[in-house]
Structure formats: structure tokens, C-alpha cells
PDB file of all heavy atoms in Angstrom:
ATOM      1  N   ARG A1108      -8.003 -11.280  18.213  1.00 45.00           N
ATOM      2  CA  ARG A1108      -8.087 -10.098  17.331  1.00 45.00           C
ATOM      3  C   ARG A1108      -9.349  -9.357  17.665  1.00 45.00           C
ATOM      4  O   ARG A1108      -9.361  -8.083  17.552  1.00 45.00           O
ATOM      5  CB  ARG A1108      -8.176 -10.553  15.857  1.00 45.00           C
ATOM      6  CG  ARG A1108      -6.904 -11.187  15.381  1.00 45.00           C
ATOM      7  CD  ARG A1108      -6.990 -11.706  13.962  1.00 45.00           C
ATOM      8  NE  ARG A1108      -7.467 -10.632  13.033  1.00 45.00           N
ATOM      9  CZ  ARG A1108      -7.743 -10.989  11.768  1.00 45.00           C
ATOM     10  NH1 ARG A1108      -7.744 -12.202  11.297  1.00 45.00           N
ATOM     11  NH2 ARG A1108      -8.178  -9.933  11.020  1.00 45.00           N
ATOM     12  N   ALA A1109     -10.398 -10.004  18.104  1.00 43.00           N
ATOM     13  CA  ALA A1109     -11.587  -9.248  18.470  1.00 43.00           C
ATOM     14  C   ALA A1109     -11.438  -8.341  19.773  1.00 43.00           C
ATOM     15  O   ALA A1109     -12.169  -7.405  19.849  1.00 43.00           O
ATOM     16  CB  ALA A1109     -12.766 -10.320  18.775  1.00 43.00           C
ATOM     17  N   HIS A1110     -10.429  -8.766  20.618  1.00 41.00           N
ATOM     18  CA  HIS A1110     -10.238  -8.017  21.866  1.00 41.00           C
ATOM     19  C   HIS A1110      -8.946  -7.233  21.863  1.00 41.00           C
ATOM     20  O   HIS A1110      -8.721  -6.525  22.899  1.00 41.00           O
ATOM     21  CB  HIS A1110     -10.344  -9.019  23.008  1.00 41.00           C
ATOM     22  CG  HIS A1110     -11.645  -9.643  23.263  1.00 41.00           C
ATOM     23  ND1 HIS A1110     -12.028 -10.775  22.529  1.00 41.00           N
ATOM     24  CD2 HIS A1110     -12.736  -9.294  23.990  1.00 41.00           C
ATOM     25  CE1 HIS A1110     -13.258 -11.136  22.920  1.00 41.00           C
ATOM     26  NE2 HIS A1110     -13.689 -10.299  23.711  1.00 41.00           N
ATOM     27  N   GLN A1111      -8.156  -7.336  20.932  1.00 41.00           N
ATOM     28  CA  GLN A1111      -6.902  -6.662  20.942  1.00 41.00           C
ATOM     29  C   GLN A1111      -6.570  -5.997  19.613  1.00 41.00           C
ATOM     30  O   GLN A1111      -5.601  -6.276  18.908  1.00 41.00           O
ATOM     31  CB  GLN A1111      -5.714  -7.631  21.148  1.00 41.00           C
ATOM     32  CG  GLN A1111      -5.924  -8.398  22.533  1.00 41.00           C
ATOM     33  CD  GLN A1111      -4.735  -9.374  22.816  1.00 41.00           C
ATOM     34  OE1 GLN A1111      -3.629  -9.015  22.634  1.00 41.00           O
ATOM     35  NE2 GLN A1111      -5.120 -10.528  23.428  1.00 41.00           N
ATOM     36  N   ASP A1112      -7.509  -5.019  19.135  1.00 40.00           N
ATOM     37  CA  ASP A1112      -7.377  -4.365  17.867  1.00 40.00           C
ATOM     38  C   ASP A1112      -6.088  -3.513  17.859  1.00 40.00           C
ATOM     39  O   ASP A1112      -5.641  -3.083  16.849  1.00 40.00           O
ATOM     40  CB  ASP A1112      -8.569  -3.543  17.530  1.00 40.00           C
ATOM     41  CG  ASP A1112      -9.716  -4.473  17.265  1.00 40.00           C
ATOM     42  OD1 ASP A1112      -9.525  -5.633  16.834  1.00 40.00           O
ATOM     43  OD2 ASP A1112     -10.917  -4.026  17.436  1.00 40.00           O
ATOM     44  N   VAL A1113      -5.550  -3.100  19.032  1.00 35.00           N
ATOM     45  CA  VAL A1113      -4.503  -2.247  19.177  1.00 35.00           C
ATOM     46  C   VAL A1113      -3.227  -2.965  18.746  1.00 35.00           C
ATOM     47  O   VAL A1113      -2.206  -2.340  18.400  1.00 35.00           O
ATOM     48  CB  VAL A1113      -4.376  -1.508  20.520  1.00 35.00           C
ATOM     49  CG1 VAL A1113      -5.592  -0.722  20.781  1.00 35.00           C
ATOM     50  CG2 VAL A1113      -4.246  -2.718  21.528  1.00 35.00           C
ATOM     51  N   LEU A1114      -3.188  -4.253  18.777  1.00 35.00           N
ATOM     52  CA  LEU A1114      -1.942  -4.984  18.451  1.00 35.00           C
ATOM     53  C   LEU A1114      -1.941  -5.128  16.943  1.00 35.00           C
ATOM     54  O   LEU A1114      -2.866  -5.087  16.255  1.00 35.00           O
ATOM     55  CB  LEU A1114      -2.066  -6.384  19.066  1.00 35.00           C
ATOM     56  CG  LEU A1114      -2.137  -6.390  20.576  1.00 35.00           C
ATOM     57  CD1 LEU A1114      -2.190  -7.858  20.964  1.00 35.00           C
ATOM     58  CD2 LEU A1114      -0.875  -5.723  21.162  1.00 35.00           C
ATOM     59  N   HIS A1115      -0.673  -5.245  16.420  1.00 36.00           N
ATOM     60  CA  HIS A1115      -0.483  -5.437  15.060  1.00 36.00           C
ATOM     61  C   HIS A1115      -0.954  -6.743  14.644  1.00 36.00           C
ATOM     62  O   HIS A1115      -0.869  -7.750  15.267  1.00 36.00           O
ATOM     63  CB  HIS A1115       1.110  -5.352  14.711  1.00 36.00           C
ATOM     64  CG  HIS A1115       1.357  -5.254  13.255  1.00 36.00           C
ATOM     65  ND1 HIS A1115       1.410  -6.277  12.562  1.00 36.00           N
ATOM     66  CD2 HIS A1115       1.615  -4.139  12.502  1.00 36.00           C
ATOM     67  CE1 HIS A1115       1.650  -5.927  11.187  1.00 36.00           C
ATOM     68  NE2 HIS A1115       1.820  -4.525  11.188  1.00 36.00           N
ATOM     69  N   SER A1116      -1.582  -6.765  13.482  1.00 37.00           N
ATOM     70  CA  SER A1116      -2.351  -8.057  13.040  1.00 37.00           C
ATOM     71  C   SER A1116      -1.266  -9.166  12.802  1.00 37.00           C
ATOM     72  O   SER A1116      -1.744 -10.263  13.130  1.00 37.00           O
ATOM     73  CB  SER A1116      -3.061  -7.747  11.753  1.00 37.00           C
ATOM     74  OG  SER A1116      -2.161  -7.357  10.705  1.00 37.00           O
ATOM     75  N   ASP A1117      -0.208  -8.911  12.406  1.00 36.00           N
ATOM     76  CA  ASP A1117       0.872  -9.981  12.176  1.00 36.00           C
ATOM     77  C   ASP A1117       1.248 -10.582  13.509  1.00 36.00           C
ATOM     78  O   ASP A1117       1.706 -11.764  13.494  1.00 36.00           O
ATOM     79  CB  ASP A1117       2.007  -9.441  11.470  1.00 36.00           C
ATOM     80  CG  ASP A1117       1.816  -9.028  10.051  1.00 36.00           C
ATOM     81  OD1 ASP A1117       0.727  -9.414   9.490  1.00 36.00           O
ATOM     82  OD2 ASP A1117       2.607  -8.267   9.354  1.00 36.00           O
ATOM     83  N   MET A1118       1.084  -9.921  14.582  1.00 34.00           N
ATOM     84  CA  MET A1118       1.531 -10.420  15.869  1.00 34.00           C
ATOM     85  C   MET A1118       0.529 -11.495  16.447  1.00 34.00           C
ATOM     86  O   MET A1118       0.969 -12.229  17.223  1.00 34.00           O
ATOM     87  CB  MET A1118       1.705  -9.230  16.837  1.00 34.00           C
ATOM     88  CG  MET A1118       2.889  -8.410  16.497  1.00 34.00           C
ATOM     89  SD  MET A1118       2.959  -6.893  17.591  1.00 34.00           S
ATOM     90  CE  MET A1118       3.212  -7.714  19.048  1.00 34.00           C
ATOM     91  N   ILE A1119      -0.704 -11.333  16.068  1.00 37.00           N
ATOM     92  CA  ILE A1119      -1.772 -12.112  16.797  1.00 37.00           C
ATOM     93  C   ILE A1119      -2.396 -13.100  15.758  1.00 37.00           C
ATOM     94  O   ILE A1119      -3.266 -13.875  16.125  1.00 37.00           O
ATOM     95  CB  ILE A1119      -2.846 -11.206  17.213  1.00 37.00           C
ATOM     96  CG1 ILE A1119      -3.538 -10.415  16.226  1.00 37.00           C
ATOM     97  CG2 ILE A1119      -2.340 -10.327  18.349  1.00 37.00           C
ATOM     98  CD1 ILE A1119      -4.700  -9.555  16.670  1.00 37.00           C
ATOM     99  N   HIS A1120      -2.036 -13.044  14.482  1.00 42.00           N
ATOM    100  CA  HIS A1120      -2.598 -14.074  13.493  1.00 42.00           C
ATOM    101  C   HIS A1120      -1.895 -15.392  13.511  1.00 42.00           C
ATOM    102  O   HIS A1120      -0.700 -15.396  13.380  1.00 42.00           O
ATOM    103  CB  HIS A1120      -2.607 -13.428  12.056  1.00 42.00           C
ATOM    104  CG  HIS A1120      -3.496 -14.121  11.112  1.00 42.00           C
ATOM    105  ND1 HIS A1120      -3.062 -15.233  10.518  1.00 42.00           N
ATOM    106  CD2 HIS A1120      -4.745 -13.908  10.686  1.00 42.00           C
ATOM    107  CE1 HIS A1120      -3.949 -15.676   9.783  1.00 42.00           C
ATOM    108  NE2 HIS A1120      -5.014 -14.947   9.772  1.00 42.00           N
ATOM    109  N   SER A1121      -2.671 -16.377  13.865  1.00 44.00           N
ATOM    110  CA  SER A1121      -2.004 -17.673  13.850  1.00 44.00           C
ATOM    111  C   SER A1121      -1.725 -18.192  12.551  1.00 44.00           C
ATOM    112  O   SER A1121      -2.393 -18.013  11.590  1.00 44.00           O
ATOM    113  CB  SER A1121      -3.027 -18.635  14.536  1.00 44.00           C
ATOM    114  OG  SER A1121      -2.603 -19.943  14.496  1.00 44.00           O
ATOM    115  N   LYS A1122      -0.552 -18.897  12.542  1.00 50.00           N
ATOM    116  CA  LYS A1122      -0.163 -19.523  11.271  1.00 50.00           C
ATOM    117  C   LYS A1122      -1.032 -20.619  10.835  1.00 50.00           C
ATOM    118  O   LYS A1122      -1.108 -21.023   9.681  1.00 50.00           O
ATOM    119  CB  LYS A1122       1.229 -20.128  11.532  1.00 50.00           C
ATOM    120  CG  LYS A1122       2.453 -18.991  11.651  1.00 50.00           C
ATOM    121  CD  LYS A1122       2.493 -18.110  10.378  1.00 50.00           C
ATOM    122  CE  LYS A1122       3.558 -17.070  10.535  1.00 50.00           C
ATOM    123  NZ  LYS A1122       3.606 -16.230   9.401  1.00 50.00           N
ATOM    124  N   ASN A1123      -1.869 -21.117  11.720  1.00 63.00           N
ATOM    125  CA  ASN A1123      -2.855 -22.199  11.464  1.00 63.00           C
ATOM    126  C   ASN A1123      -4.204 -21.710  10.917  1.00 63.00           C
ATOM    127  O   ASN A1123      -5.105 -22.480  10.506  1.00 63.00           O
ATOM    128  CB  ASN A1123      -3.091 -23.019  12.675  1.00 63.00           C
ATOM    129  CG  ASN A1123      -1.897 -23.904  13.089  1.00 63.00           C
ATOM    130  OD1 ASN A1123      -1.084 -24.301  12.176  1.00 63.00           O
ATOM    131  ND2 ASN A1123      -1.543 -23.898  14.310  1.00 63.00           N
ATOM    132  N   CYS A1124      -4.344 -20.343  10.804  1.00 80.00           N
ATOM    133  CA  CYS A1124      -5.520 -19.767  10.262  1.00 80.00           C
ATOM    134  C   CYS A1124      -5.392 -19.412   8.936  1.00 80.00           C
ATOM    135  O   CYS A1124      -4.545 -18.557   8.561  1.00 80.00           O
ATOM    136  CB  CYS A1124      -5.912 -18.423  11.124  1.00 80.00           C
ATOM    137  SG  CYS A1124      -7.517 -17.779  10.752  1.00 80.00           S
ATOM    138  N   PRO A1125      -6.133 -19.953   7.896  1.00 91.00           N
ATOM    139  CA  PRO A1125      -5.841 -19.770   6.638  1.00 91.00           C
ATOM    140  C   PRO A1125      -6.255 -18.409   6.148  1.00 91.00           C
ATOM    141  O   PRO A1125      -7.358 -17.978   6.430  1.00 91.00           O
ATOM    142  CB  PRO A1125      -6.816 -20.810   5.850  1.00 91.00           C
ATOM    143  CG  PRO A1125      -7.785 -21.203   6.824  1.00 91.00           C
ATOM    144  CD  PRO A1125      -7.140 -21.012   8.248  1.00 91.00           C
ATOM    145  N   ILE A1126      -5.450 -17.710   5.414  1.00 93.00           N
ATOM    146  CA  ILE A1126      -5.741 -16.275   5.019  1.00 93.00           C
ATOM    147  C   ILE A1126      -6.203 -16.255   3.527  1.00 93.00           C
ATOM    148  O   ILE A1126      -6.648 -15.253   3.113  1.00 93.00           O
ATOM    149  CB  ILE A1126      -4.444 -15.393   5.111  1.00 93.00           C
ATOM    150  CG1 ILE A1126      -3.383 -15.879   4.283  1.00 93.00           C
ATOM    151  CG2 ILE A1126      -4.020 -15.330   6.610  1.00 93.00           C
ATOM    152  CD1 ILE A1126      -2.180 -14.987   4.305  1.00 93.00           C
ATOM    153  N   ASP A1127      -6.042 -17.378   2.796  1.00 94.00           N
ATOM    154  CA  ASP A1127      -6.535 -17.527   1.464  1.00 94.00           C
ATOM    155  C   ASP A1127      -6.496 -18.927   1.073  1.00 94.00           C
ATOM    156  O   ASP A1127      -6.250 -19.867   1.901  1.00 94.00           O
ATOM    157  CB  ASP A1127      -5.696 -16.668   0.522  1.00 94.00           C
ATOM    158  CG  ASP A1127      -4.175 -17.052   0.606  1.00 94.00           C
ATOM    159  OD1 ASP A1127      -3.900 -18.236   1.014  1.00 94.00           O
ATOM    160  OD2 ASP A1127      -3.278 -16.232   0.148  1.00 94.00           O
ATOM    161  N   CYS A1128      -6.861 -19.193  -0.182  1.00 95.00           N
ATOM    162  CA  CYS A1128      -6.947 -20.608  -0.621  1.00 95.00           C
ATOM    163  C   CYS A1128      -5.527 -21.356  -0.683  1.00 95.00           C
ATOM    164  O   CYS A1128      -5.562 -22.517  -0.720  1.00 95.00           O
ATOM    165  CB  CYS A1128      -7.712 -20.660  -1.951  1.00 95.00           C
ATOM    166  SG  CYS A1128      -9.513 -20.315  -1.746  1.00 95.00           S
ATOM    167  N   GLY A1129      -4.580 -20.479  -0.793  1.00 95.00           N
ATOM    168  CA  GLY A1129      -3.221 -21.062  -0.757  1.00 95.00           C
ATOM    169  C   GLY A1129      -2.957 -21.691   0.526  1.00 95.00           C
ATOM    170  O   GLY A1129      -2.406 -22.830   0.538  1.00 95.00           O
ATOM    171  N   ASP A1130      -3.397 -21.066   1.614  1.00 92.00           N
ATOM    172  CA  ASP A1130      -3.316 -21.748   2.920  1.00 92.00           C
ATOM    173  C   ASP A1130      -4.076 -22.819   3.038  1.00 92.00           C
ATOM    174  O   ASP A1130      -3.628 -23.852   3.745  1.00 92.00           O
ATOM    175  CB  ASP A1130      -3.582 -20.651   4.041  1.00 92.00           C
ATOM    176  CG  ASP A1130      -2.435 -19.808   4.406  1.00 92.00           C
ATOM    177  OD1 ASP A1130      -1.346 -19.934   3.787  1.00 92.00           O
ATOM    178  OD2 ASP A1130      -2.551 -18.977   5.344  1.00 92.00           O
ATOM    179  N   ILE A1131      -5.323 -22.909   2.507  1.00 92.00           N
ATOM    180  CA  ILE A1131      -6.177 -24.084   2.555  1.00 92.00           C
ATOM    181  C   ILE A1131      -5.474 -25.210   1.768  1.00 92.00           C
ATOM    182  O   ILE A1131      -5.364 -26.417   2.321  1.00 92.00           O
ATOM    183  CB  ILE A1131      -7.533 -23.811   1.838  1.00 92.00           C
ATOM    184  CG1 ILE A1131      -8.374 -22.673   2.559  1.00 92.00           C
ATOM    185  CG2 ILE A1131      -8.386 -25.044   1.587  1.00 92.00           C
ATOM    186  CD1 ILE A1131      -8.796 -23.118   3.909  1.00 92.00           C
ATOM    187  N   TYR A1132      -4.781 -24.916   0.738  1.00 93.00           N
ATOM    188  CA  TYR A1132      -4.052 -25.944  -0.042  1.00 93.00           C
ATOM    189  C   TYR A1132      -2.937 -26.494   0.801  1.00 93.00           C
ATOM    190  O   TYR A1132      -2.683 -27.665   0.957  1.00 93.00           O
ATOM    191  CB  TYR A1132      -3.476 -25.365  -1.268  1.00 93.00           C
ATOM    192  CG  TYR A1132      -2.652 -26.290  -2.132  1.00 93.00           C
ATOM    193  CD1 TYR A1132      -3.164 -26.932  -3.159  1.00 93.00           C
ATOM    194  CD2 TYR A1132      -1.202 -26.381  -1.908  1.00 93.00           C
ATOM    195  CE1 TYR A1132      -2.393 -27.820  -3.883  1.00 93.00           C
ATOM    196  CE2 TYR A1132      -0.405 -27.129  -2.664  1.00 93.00           C
ATOM    197  CZ  TYR A1132      -0.917 -27.918  -3.674  1.00 93.00           C
ATOM    198  OH  TYR A1132      -0.170 -28.708  -4.450  1.00 93.00           O
ATOM    199  N   TYR A1133      -2.221 -25.604   1.506  1.00 91.00           N
ATOM    200  CA  TYR A1133      -1.047 -26.079   2.295  1.00 91.00           C
ATOM    201  C   TYR A1133      -1.431 -26.827   3.549  1.00 91.00           C
ATOM    202  O   TYR A1133      -0.735 -27.650   4.069  1.00 91.00           O
ATOM    203  CB  TYR A1133      -0.252 -24.867   2.800  1.00 91.00           C
ATOM    204  CG  TYR A1133       0.638 -24.303   1.776  1.00 91.00           C
ATOM    205  CD1 TYR A1133       0.738 -22.875   1.582  1.00 91.00           C
ATOM    206  CD2 TYR A1133       1.170 -24.981   0.735  1.00 91.00           C
ATOM    207  CE1 TYR A1133       1.489 -22.253   0.603  1.00 91.00           C
ATOM    208  CE2 TYR A1133       2.042 -24.388  -0.310  1.00 91.00           C
ATOM    209  CZ  TYR A1133       2.092 -23.113  -0.305  1.00 91.00           C
ATOM    210  OH  TYR A1133       2.769 -22.485  -1.236  1.00 91.00           O
ATOM    211  N   SER A1134      -2.737 -26.694   4.008  1.00 88.00           N
ATOM    212  CA  SER A1134      -3.290 -27.459   5.103  1.00 88.00           C
ATOM    213  C   SER A1134      -3.657 -28.875   4.653  1.00 88.00           C
ATOM    214  O   SER A1134      -3.947 -29.701   5.623  1.00 88.00           O
ATOM    215  CB  SER A1134      -4.606 -26.768   5.723  1.00 88.00           C
ATOM    216  OG  SER A1134      -5.670 -26.912   4.811  1.00 88.00           O
ATOM    217  N   GLY A1135      -3.516 -29.151   3.439  1.00 88.00           N
ATOM    218  CA  GLY A1135      -3.613 -30.536   2.924  1.00 88.00           C
ATOM    219  C   GLY A1135      -5.026 -30.752   2.131  1.00 88.00           C
ATOM    220  O   GLY A1135      -5.209 -31.895   1.738  1.00 88.00           O
ATOM    221  N   ILE A1136      -5.804 -29.711   2.025  1.00 89.00           N
ATOM    222  CA  ILE A1136      -7.061 -29.810   1.165  1.00 89.00           C
ATOM    223  C   ILE A1136      -6.765 -29.511  -0.189  1.00 89.00           C
ATOM    224  O   ILE A1136      -6.303 -28.402  -0.513  1.00 89.00           O
ATOM    225  CB  ILE A1136      -8.053 -28.824   1.837  1.00 89.00           C
ATOM    226  CG1 ILE A1136      -8.396 -29.217   3.245  1.00 89.00           C
ATOM    227  CG2 ILE A1136      -9.391 -28.894   0.899  1.00 89.00           C
ATOM    228  CD1 ILE A1136      -9.407 -28.275   3.941  1.00 89.00           C
ATOM    229  N   ARG A1137      -6.947 -30.478  -1.077  1.00 90.00           N
ATOM    230  CA  ARG A1137      -6.606 -30.294  -2.412  1.00 90.00           C
ATOM    231  C   ARG A1137      -7.803 -30.448  -3.325  1.00 90.00           C
ATOM    232  O   ARG A1137      -7.679 -30.529  -4.674  1.00 90.00           O
ATOM    233  CB  ARG A1137      -5.643 -31.395  -2.916  1.00 90.00           C
ATOM    234  CG  ARG A1137      -4.336 -31.519  -1.990  1.00 90.00           C
ATOM    235  CD  ARG A1137      -3.512 -30.257  -2.049  1.00 90.00           C
ATOM    236  NE  ARG A1137      -2.514 -30.217  -0.883  1.00 90.00           N
ATOM    237  CZ  ARG A1137      -1.371 -30.862  -0.930  1.00 90.00           C
ATOM    238  NH1 ARG A1137      -1.074 -31.603  -1.913  1.00 90.00           N
ATOM    239  NH2 ARG A1137      -0.588 -30.711   0.101  1.00 90.00           N
ATOM    240  N   ARG A1138      -8.973 -30.354  -2.801  1.00 92.00           N
ATOM    241  CA  ARG A1138     -10.251 -30.508  -3.599  1.00 92.00           C
ATOM    242  C   ARG A1138     -10.893 -29.089  -3.764  1.00 92.00           C
ATOM    243  O   ARG A1138     -10.928 -28.367  -2.742  1.00 92.00           O
ATOM    244  CB  ARG A1138     -11.212 -31.465  -2.853  1.00 92.00           C
ATOM    245  CG  ARG A1138     -12.602 -31.610  -3.725  1.00 92.00           C
ATOM    246  CD  ARG A1138     -13.416 -32.588  -2.994  1.00 92.00           C
ATOM    247  NE  ARG A1138     -12.855 -33.977  -3.096  1.00 92.00           N
ATOM    248  CZ  ARG A1138     -13.433 -34.942  -2.594  1.00 92.00           C
ATOM    249  NH1 ARG A1138     -14.554 -34.874  -1.797  1.00 92.00           N
ATOM    250  NH2 ARG A1138     -12.917 -36.171  -2.555  1.00 92.00           N
ATOM    251  N   SER A1139     -11.201 -28.673  -4.941  1.00 94.00           N
ATOM    252  CA  SER A1139     -12.023 -27.450  -5.122  1.00 94.00           C
ATOM    253  C   SER A1139     -13.215 -27.442  -4.376  1.00 94.00           C
ATOM    254  O   SER A1139     -14.052 -28.410  -4.327  1.00 94.00           O
ATOM    255  CB  SER A1139     -12.154 -27.173  -6.629  1.00 94.00           C
ATOM    256  OG  SER A1139     -11.021 -27.119  -7.387  1.00 94.00           O
ATOM    257  N   GLY A1140     -13.633 -26.247  -3.813  1.00 92.00           N
ATOM    258  CA  GLY A1140     -14.820 -26.179  -3.175  1.00 92.00           C
ATOM    259  C   GLY A1140     -14.876 -24.818  -2.304  1.00 92.00           C
ATOM    260  O   GLY A1140     -13.998 -23.944  -2.389  1.00 92.00           O
ATOM    261  N   VAL A1141     -15.948 -24.719  -1.532  1.00 92.00           N
ATOM    262  CA  VAL A1141     -16.115 -23.488  -0.660  1.00 92.00           C
ATOM    263  C   VAL A1141     -15.493 -23.737   0.635  1.00 92.00           C
ATOM    264  O   VAL A1141     -15.893 -24.661   1.401  1.00 92.00           O
ATOM    265  CB  VAL A1141     -17.615 -23.138  -0.628  1.00 92.00           C
ATOM    266  CG1 VAL A1141     -17.817 -21.893   0.301  1.00 92.00           C
ATOM    267  CG2 VAL A1141     -18.178 -22.842  -1.883  1.00 92.00           C
ATOM    268  N   TYR A1142     -14.652 -22.744   1.091  1.00 92.00           N
ATOM    269  CA  TYR A1142     -13.907 -22.969   2.433  1.00 92.00           C
ATOM    270  C   TYR A1142     -14.045 -21.540   3.099  1.00 92.00           C
ATOM    271  O   TYR A1142     -14.343 -20.546   2.490  1.00 92.00           O
ATOM    272  CB  TYR A1142     -12.521 -23.361   2.265  1.00 92.00           C
ATOM    273  CG  TYR A1142     -12.373 -24.750   1.622  1.00 92.00           C
ATOM    274  CD1 TYR A1142     -12.193 -24.871   0.181  1.00 92.00           C
ATOM    275  CD2 TYR A1142     -12.534 -25.918   2.378  1.00 92.00           C
ATOM    276  CE1 TYR A1142     -12.155 -26.133  -0.443  1.00 92.00           C
ATOM    277  CE2 TYR A1142     -12.402 -27.200   1.682  1.00 92.00           C
ATOM    278  CZ  TYR A1142     -12.195 -27.221   0.346  1.00 92.00           C
ATOM    279  OH  TYR A1142     -12.199 -28.444  -0.245  1.00 92.00           O
ATOM    280  N   THR A1143     -13.677 -21.560   4.448  1.00 91.00           N
ATOM    281  CA  THR A1143     -13.635 -20.374   5.288  1.00 91.00           C
ATOM    282  C   THR A1143     -12.199 -19.933   5.411  1.00 91.00           C
ATOM    283  O   THR A1143     -11.315 -20.709   5.825  1.00 91.00           O
ATOM    284  CB  THR A1143     -14.223 -20.502   6.553  1.00 91.00           C
ATOM    285  OG1 THR A1143     -15.760 -20.925   6.356  1.00 91.00           O
ATOM    286  CG2 THR A1143     -14.255 -19.302   7.269  1.00 91.00           C
ATOM    287  N   ILE A1144     -11.939 -18.595   5.184  1.00 92.00           N
ATOM    288  CA  ILE A1144     -10.581 -18.151   5.437  1.00 92.00           C
ATOM    289  C   ILE A1144     -10.734 -16.893   6.372  1.00 92.00           C
ATOM    290  O   ILE A1144     -11.922 -16.401   6.480  1.00 92.00           O
ATOM    291  CB  ILE A1144      -9.945 -17.629   4.117  1.00 92.00           C
ATOM    292  CG1 ILE A1144     -10.705 -16.420   3.415  1.00 92.00           C
ATOM    293  CG2 ILE A1144      -9.798 -18.862   3.091  1.00 92.00           C
ATOM    294  CD1 ILE A1144     -10.039 -15.828   2.230  1.00 92.00           C
ATOM    295  N   MET A1145      -9.684 -16.399   6.838  1.00 91.00           N
ATOM    296  CA  MET A1145      -9.676 -15.164   7.732  1.00 91.00           C
ATOM    297  C   MET A1145      -8.544 -14.289   7.376  1.00 91.00           C
ATOM    298  O   MET A1145      -7.342 -14.606   7.793  1.00 91.00           O
ATOM    299  CB  MET A1145      -9.597 -15.557   9.202  1.00 91.00           C
ATOM    300  CG  MET A1145      -9.732 -14.272  10.079  1.00 91.00           C
ATOM    301  SD  MET A1145      -9.612 -14.676  11.798  1.00 91.00           S
ATOM    302  CE  MET A1145     -11.158 -15.564  12.034  1.00 91.00           C
ATOM    303  N   PRO A1146      -8.684 -13.316   6.468  1.00 90.00           N
ATOM    304  CA  PRO A1146      -7.578 -12.574   5.983  1.00 90.00           C
ATOM    305  C   PRO A1146      -6.852 -11.760   7.254  1.00 90.00           C
ATOM    306  O   PRO A1146      -7.534 -11.475   8.325  1.00 90.00           O
ATOM    307  CB  PRO A1146      -8.287 -11.396   5.276  1.00 90.00           C
ATOM    308  CG  PRO A1146      -9.429 -12.086   4.630  1.00 90.00           C
ATOM    309  CD  PRO A1146      -9.848 -12.890   5.729  1.00 90.00           C
TER     310      PRO A1146
END
């Protein structure tokens, strides 16, 4: 994404990259806390 801004974001965003806390939950983390996401 840092080198291909011309591409559509949906095309280059990995499914393994959490976009919100819902994705953090689906990755198997079920404990409340501070995590890193990438919208």
C-alpha cells in the first residue's frame, strides 16, 4: 500500500491484516486490551 497508492485498497489489503477489533476477535484474541489495526 505504501508503494501502490494507485491501486484500489480492497485489491491490496490482506485478509490477515485486522481492520478493526472485530478482526482482532476473529484472529483468536478474546481479551480486552490495546491492539494495532490497519483500516
